[in-house]
């Protein structure tokens, strides 16, 4: 039900999806008038979106054939209205590379939303718990944005034309991203109903945890640095290889492991009613890996002032995914949707890396050097866990399931670390992501001691 409402909200938010924050980061000479204009637009679009959600509440009931959506729409209208007033000054956390401040801002408001959601779930036993958490997250985000940054925005549209010249491509890109990420919700909700959409939404969230919690923060963190290096292609190429190697080292095994342990995870954390989500997670975990390897490339195009490249990639992915979805979803439901978006993302990856190699004057061999060890490690992890599947107890009680999940995660992690370490040693221990992680771990241990 919440997925139905948030899909409509995401569609409305496209009206203001100019990503002016990215334009402010990319423009190294942005002034107060640029910040004030960006904030003014955010407020205006927040108000427009809130009114739109209220007006679409009744039509949404007819579209989804679900009367409970109406009240949900009014609550989401309040959420988007509040978010529009967030302090634009917090963009400086990224631009000035004060990433610890952005981290604590994001973590604090997520924790508040989490606590409110769980508390409301225990009290209400209703989907309204999710809405309560969303509202708490928006309110806390608004308050924290003004507490953590001294900037006080004023209403102004003085720099509207300057921001629009860069952000018009981001609007198109965000529209295509919406169709890729949320268009599936409309198709599944319309043809298969709330239950199938719920299964797909949960599976999608779990399978894409490495992307949402690792890749996106990394991409946001490196974008300001990429922007400063945009004039020096050799330095930009070196930075990209470091980032993509680190992303692959962390997200490829994480995504693979989520797919491999999907059954005990669902059984332990969600319960038997969600068992049909397991095959979806298997497919979407592969999609999550592909998506994670797309992540760092978008920041390259934006730093180079070529947002149209990002839009082109979304067009490739969308055209394939939607075409397959219209064929497969009516017949196979959410499983058909999962295969469709995996096919679209895989095709877009080929186009994406062809363009990245050209933009950075990068050879395919250099790229493969950065990626092959994590991929081999993940494949070996899958082989070992598949070969030992018969060793685990099939009991469904919580204790047995928890033990099986813990043992599979430990064995998978050990297998991955040993394989990657062996490949790295055989390859002459090149300076790369492995050395970065080891240096980071050594520094942390020294601080603790």
């Amino acid at each position: 039900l919440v997925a139905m409402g948030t899909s409509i909200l995401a569609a409305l938010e496209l009206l203001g999806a100019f990503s002016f924050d990215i334009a402010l980061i990319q423009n190294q000479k942005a002034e107060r008038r640029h910040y004030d204009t960006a904030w003014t637009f955010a407020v205006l679009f927040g108000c427009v979106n809130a009114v739109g959600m209220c007006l679409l509440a009744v039509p949404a009931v007819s579209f989804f054939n679900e009367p409970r959506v109406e009240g949900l729409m009014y609550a989401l209208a309040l959420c988007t209205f509040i978010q529009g007033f967030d302090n634009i000054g917090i963009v400086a956390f990224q631009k000035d590379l004060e990433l610890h401040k952005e981290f604590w801002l994001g973590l604090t408001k997520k924790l508040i939303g989490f606590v409110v959601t769980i508390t409301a779930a225990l009290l209400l036993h209703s989907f309204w718990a999710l809405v309560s958490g969303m509202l708490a997250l928006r309110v806390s985000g608004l308050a924290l944005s003004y507490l953590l940054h001294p900037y006080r925005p004023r209403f102004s549209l003085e720099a509207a034309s300057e921001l629009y010249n860069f952000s018009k491509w981001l609007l198109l890109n965000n529209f295509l991203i919406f169709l890729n990420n949320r268009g599936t919700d409309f198709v599944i909700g319309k043809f298969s109903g709330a239950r199938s959409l719920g299964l797909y939404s949960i599976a999608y969230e779990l399978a894409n945890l490495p992307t949402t919690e690792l890749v996106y923060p990394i991409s946001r963190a490196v974008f300001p640095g990429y922007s400063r290096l945009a004039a020096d292609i050799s330095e930009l190429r070196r930075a990209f290889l470091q980032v993509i190697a680190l992303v692959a080292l962390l997200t490829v095994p994480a995504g693979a492991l989520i797919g491999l342990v999907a059954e005990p995870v669902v059984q332990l954390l969600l319960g038997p009613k969600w068992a049909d989500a397991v095959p979806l997670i298997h497919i979407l975990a592969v999609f999550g890996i592909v998506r994670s390897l797309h992540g760092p490339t978008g920041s390259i195009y934006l730093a180079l002032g070529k947002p149209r490249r990002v839009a082109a990639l979304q067009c490739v992915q969308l055209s394939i995914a939607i075409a397959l979805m219209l064929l497969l979803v009516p017949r196979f439901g959410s499983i058909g949707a999962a295969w469709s978006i995996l096919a679209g993302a895989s095709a877009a990856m080929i186009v994406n890396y062809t363009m990245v190699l050209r933009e950075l004057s990068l050879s395919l061999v250099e790229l493969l050097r950065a990626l092959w060890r994590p991929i081999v490690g993940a494949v070996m992890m899958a082989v070992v866990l598949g070969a030992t599947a018969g060793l685990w107890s099939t009991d469904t009680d919580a204790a047995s399931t928890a033990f099986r999940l813990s043992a599979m995660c430990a064995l998978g992690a050990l297998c991955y670390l040993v394989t990657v370490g062996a490949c790295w040693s055989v390859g002459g221990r090149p300076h790369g992501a492995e050395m970065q992680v080891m240096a980071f771990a050594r520094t942390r241990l020294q601080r603790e001691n």
Side-chain angles (χ1 to χ4, degrees):
L1 289 170
V2 175
M4 290 175 174
T6 53
S7 296
I8 297 175
L9 176 59
L12 278 175
E13 287 179 339
L14 289 172
L15 298 173
F18 285 93
S19 296
F20 288 133
D21 55 336
I22 294 178
L24 294 175
I25 295 172
Q26 198 271 344
N27 181 6
Q28 296 296 308
K29 298 180 180 180
E31 303 170 358
R32 181 181 180 93
R33 59 194 181 90
H34 296 98
Y35 282 84
D36 287 342
T37 300
W39 179 79
T40 302
F41 273 124
V43 171
L44 292 174
F45 290 135
C47 295
V48 170
N49 291 337
V51 172
M53 288 293 286
C54 293
L55 294 176
L56 291 173
V58 174
V61 171
S62 300
F63 180 83
F64 289 116
N65 193 28
E66 179 52 73
R68 290 172 292 178
V69 170
E70 182 179 357
L72 174 65
M73 295 279 286
Y74 297 136
L76 293 176
L78 180 58
C79 288
T80 191
F81 175 78
I82 293 171
Q83 188 176 8
F85 288 86
D86 282 356
N87 186 3
I88 192 66
I90 59 176
V91 171
F93 291 162
Q94 290 186 61
K95 188 166 186 176
D96 299 335
L97 300 179
E98 296 178 315
L99 303 179
H100 62 288
K101 293 182 180 179
E102 184 189 23
F103 169 78
W104 286 113
L105 170 63
L107 178 63
T108 303
K109 66 182 184 180
K110 284 185 178 181
L111 284 175
I112 293 173
F114 172 78
V115 171
V116 171
T117 299
I118 297 301
T119 303
L122 294 172
L123 295 174
L124 302 176
H125 296 273
S126 164
F127 69 89
W128 284 104
L130 293 171
V131 181
S132 301
M134 294 171 66
L135 184 59
L137 189 147
R138 299 301 191 280
V139 172
S140 60
L142 176 65
L144 288 169
S145 69
Y146 286 93
L147 286 172
L148 296 178
H149 200 282
Y151 189 84
R152 295 297 178 261
R154 299 190 294 253
F155 285 102
S156 172
L157 293 175
E158 185 179 350
S161 60
E162 297 174 57
L163 290 176
Y164 174 75
N165 286 334
F166 178 83
S167 296
K168 59 186 177 183
W169 286 104
L170 296 180
L171 174 64
L172 173 60
N173 179 53
N174 288 329
F175 175 73
L176 295 170
I177 289 175
F178 164 79
L179 291 178
N180 274 312
N181 294 344
R182 303 308 299 266
T184 311
D185 294 351
F186 288 99
V187 177
I188 297 175
K190 180 66 176 177
F191 288 105
S192 301
R195 183 178 183 276
S196 290
L197 179 55
L199 289 168
Y200 179 85
S201 298
I202 286 291
Y204 188 94
E205 291 293 335
L206 286 174
N208 282 271
L209 279 175
T211 303
T212 55
E213 303 305 325
L214 291 173
V215 178
Y216 286 169
I218 290 174
S219 297
R220 287 196 302 269
V222 300
F223 174 55
Y226 283 169
S227 297
R228 296 179 182 183
L229 295 174
D232 189 340
I233 293 299
S234 62
E235 283 298 308
L236 186 59
R237 178 172 63 245
R238 181 186 59 79
F240 170 74
L241 287 173
Q242 288 181 337
V243 171
I244 194 66
L246 181 62
V247 165
L249 189 69
L250 298 176
T251 63
V252 170
L257 191 59
I258 287 174
L260 293 167
V261 301
E263 190 272 329
V265 165
V266 170
Q267 185 174 311
L268 182 65
L269 300 182
L270 301 177
K273 290 183 179 180
W274 294 90
D276 289 342
V278 172
L280 283 168
I281 296 176
H282 290 156
I283 302 168
L284 292 172
V286 181
F287 167 74
I289 294 173
V290 173
R291 190 179 178 212
S292 71
L293 296 178
H294 273 294
T297 61
S299 298
I300 290 291
Y301 299 129
L302 295 177
L304 292 173
K306 298 181 179 180
R308 67 185 69 185
R309 296 294 177 89
V310 184
L313 289 172
Q314 294 294 332
C315 282
V316 173
Q317 180 172 333
L318 178 65
S319 59
I320 295 173
I322 293 297
L324 289 175
M325 210 175 296
L326 293 175
L327 291 174
L328 299 179
V329 171
R331 183 174 179 183
F332 300 104
S334 52
I335 289 288
W339 281 114
S340 298
I341 67 168
L342 174 58
S346 300
M349 172 173 276
I350 297 173
V351 178
N352 184 12
Y353 278 99
T354 301
M355 292 195 299
V356 165
L357 296 179
R358 188 182 304 118
E359 290 289 346
L360 298 179
S361 300
L362 180 66
S363 71
L364 181 60
V365 173
E366 289 177 293
L367 179 63
L368 292 177
R369 282 200 200 110
L371 299 178
W372 75 273
R373 291 187 294 275
I375 294 174
V376 171
V379 170
M380 187 58 66
M381 177 172 63
V383 170
V384 171
L385 288 182
T388 58
L391 300 178
W392 315 114
S393 170
T394 57
D395 293 340
T396 57
D397 61 282
S400 298
T401 304
F403 174 78
R404 176 158 54 109
L405 177 60
S406 301
M408 292 178 69
C409 289
L411 179 60
L414 178 62
C415 178
Y416 177 77
L417 291 173
V418 170
T419 303
V420 171
C423 292
W424 184 55
S425 297
V426 170
R429 299 190 176 187
H431 184 79
E434 294 87 352
M435 193 168 289
Q436 287 179 289
V437 172
M438 290 175 63
F440 174 78
R442 190 181 302 114
T443 301
R444 296 288 297 184
L445 288 173
Q446 289 174 350
R447 288 179 182 175
E448 292 178 2
N449 295 330

